[in-house]
Amino acid sequence: MITRAIKICFRLAKEKGWTKTYWAFDIHGTILKPTFQKGVISTEFYPNAKEVMQLLAKDKSIVKILYTCSYPHEIEEYITYFAEHDIHFDYVNSNADVTDGGYGYYHDKFYFNVLMDDKAGFDGETDWGEILKLLKTI
Ligand SMILES: [Mg+2]
């Protein structure tokens, strides 16, 4: 359940005094419903995905990382499409804020606190609604 990861992230941020947390977002099967057609970008949001991403966009303490296997020219199209919906990302497939340090070596696997990816158990149909409920309680 993604809300568990988000709650842990918020709790750790509070306990440790983190000023920023890092959230990674997959596109297909997570934010947008896949078209399964090459060269056709997805445009249909899962329920509540747009609302949650717009809320998160306003929170500058949450660094948003696009985590996708889309081709570079598709990534450009997605960034434009998301921006048209007031959804913005700080990084793509990387996190320049956290590199080497006390925590580890982040050149191959970038640092994140929350991962939203259908390949990692995220359910686009239901999880956005759960996140929305959680964010409204904070
Ligand atoms: Mg996916």
Side-chain angles (χ1 to χ4, degrees):
M1 176 67 76
I2 191 66
T3 50
R4 185 169 180 272
I6 293 171
K7 283 180 199 167
I8 290 170
C9 175
F10 284 141
R11 178 172 53 79
L12 287 174
K14 197 172 174 185
E15 285 173 9
K16 296 175 184 284
W18 296 339
T19 55
K20 285 184 177 180
T21 58
Y22 299 87
W23 298 23
F25 302 88
D26 171 53
I27 299 176
H28 303 96
T30 300
I31 302 175
L32 302 174
K33 297 184 180 180
T35 62
F36 300 109
Q37 288 175 275
K38 197 169 182 235
V40 180
I41 74 158
S42 301
T43 55
E44 190 182 352
F45 286 89
Y46 281 101
N48 301 299
K50 196 198 300 191
E51 292 77 2
V52 169
M53 292 306 293
Q54 288 171 340
L55 278 177
L56 297 178
K58 291 178 192 159
D59 188 338
K60 301 303 172 203
S61 75
I62 297 173
V63 178
K64 273 78 64 179
I65 301 166
L66 198 57
Y67 185 45
T68 180
C69 60
S70 300
Y71 283 93
H73 68 278
E74 294 171 330
I75 291 173
E76 294 300 318
E77 289 184 63
Y78 281 117
I79 286 179
T80 302
Y81 181 71
F82 287 131
E84 287 166 359
H85 292 273
D86 296 318
I87 296 168
H88 303 278
F89 293 93
D90 300 284
Y91 298 115
V92 178
N93 292 328
S94 65
N95 179 356
D97 288 6
V98 183
T99 53
D100 299 341
Y103 302 117
Y105 178 84
Y106 293 108
H107 293 267
D108 297 323
K109 180 187 179 186
F110 66 81
Y111 180 86
F112 59 82
N113 302 107
V114 176
L115 172 64
M116 300 195 196
D117 191 323
D118 61 303
K119 296 274 197 311
F122 189 91
D123 185 340
E125 294 290 351
T126 60
D127 276 343
W128 294 108
E130 296 299 318
I131 297 168
L132 195 57
K133 272 190 245 168
L134 173 65
L135 292 178
K136 283 179 176 173
T137 66
I138 294 168

